[in-house]
Amino acid sequence: MNSKERVMSALNGAQPDRRPYTPCIDNYTRSGLPEPYRSMDIINVQKAFGADMVRGPWCYKEQYDSTIRIEEKRVNGSIITRYLTPVGTLQKTETFTKESPNIPFPAEHLIKTAEDLETFNYLTEHTSCVPDYKELEDALKKNSNIVVATGIMSTAFEDMLAHHSGVEKFVYLYYDHTALIEETMAILKQKREREAAITAQGPAEVIICYENTNTANSSPEWIKQFEIPMLNDYARIMHDHGKKLLVHMCGHINMVVDQIAAALFDGIVDVAPPPTGDCDLPAAVRTLGAQGKVLTGGIECTMFAHLKPDALVSEVRSLVSSIPDTRCFFLGSGDAVPQGTSVENLNAIKALIEKPF
């Protein structure tokens, strides 16, 4: 089997010739690699280190209508963005660091008050998303023997909780202004589902939702009430177009594994054991596998960064021996392979996965 056949066979319930390998090697990983990898296209970096499924371009872009004005300025390493609308102004501040050159830290969230929710609703309703398949189509043509997955944003619930308001403010707003924040999530959900529909109509066979489900910043009850139903709606959209939906869950999920197993999506990716996550991997694979789902991940990211190659290989052998199921468990990284991971470590796992063990 080639890489694409291997991954798609497993996702369709058949036995692959060997365990698929699907690490999350992204721009964060690449920023810590030496040349020639640092200058390579990110898909080629993933392929160079043996990935059977790579993360490719997304296939939609946002557009604001003429009533929205955006101002952006850089101050001391931070980006301050202001959204000016006829009903109010929103501002957020994001800070990039040397250690995280691609994903910024939120220094100021967009939503701080109930009035901001009203402004955010206007902003969402006056933002459209348009298809842009060209880059993804080119990537698929160049890489016909490998799965090139595309992505979609997290659900409206997770987006509000983690990105737009932050956990503390979300909790206060939810209990002080329940109807308003639920209206905001409903409006944002409609936008997210339009993005999902555009993606489902595109050329990728596998879509990854970058959800970051995590009981460390949410609760099992909220995940049951809001997040799983929204993910199920994503899954229905994808399945209506014959696509597979995988959900990125690198955080604490042990308390909600049964909820995940009962959901409609096809599996979860980049799953992490402690300390990044809390997943009991063998138990989770059994629970998800009983429902036909796959789980990918398992190699704790600190191991990638800090162990010597022989020690890393030993840990991975131990992990794989505890989960013999080669259809439901794809070996991969627990969250993104971190900046600072050596070429030697990446090549050691590539060599290991390519031969029976």
Side-chain angles (χ1 to χ4, degrees), residues 155 157-158 211-213 222-223 225-231:
T155 62
F157 165 74
E158 180 66 24
E211 181 70 5
N212 290 305
T213 303
W222 272 356
I223 290 169
Q225 181 180 355
F226 297 118
E227 190 169 355
I228 295 295
M230 291 180 186
L231 287 171

Side-chain angles (χ1 to χ4, degrees), residues 32-44:
L33 293 173
E35 296 294 354
Y37 304 102
R38 187 177 295 187
S39 299
M40 288 168 60
D41 174 85
I42 189 59
I43 288 180
N44 289 333

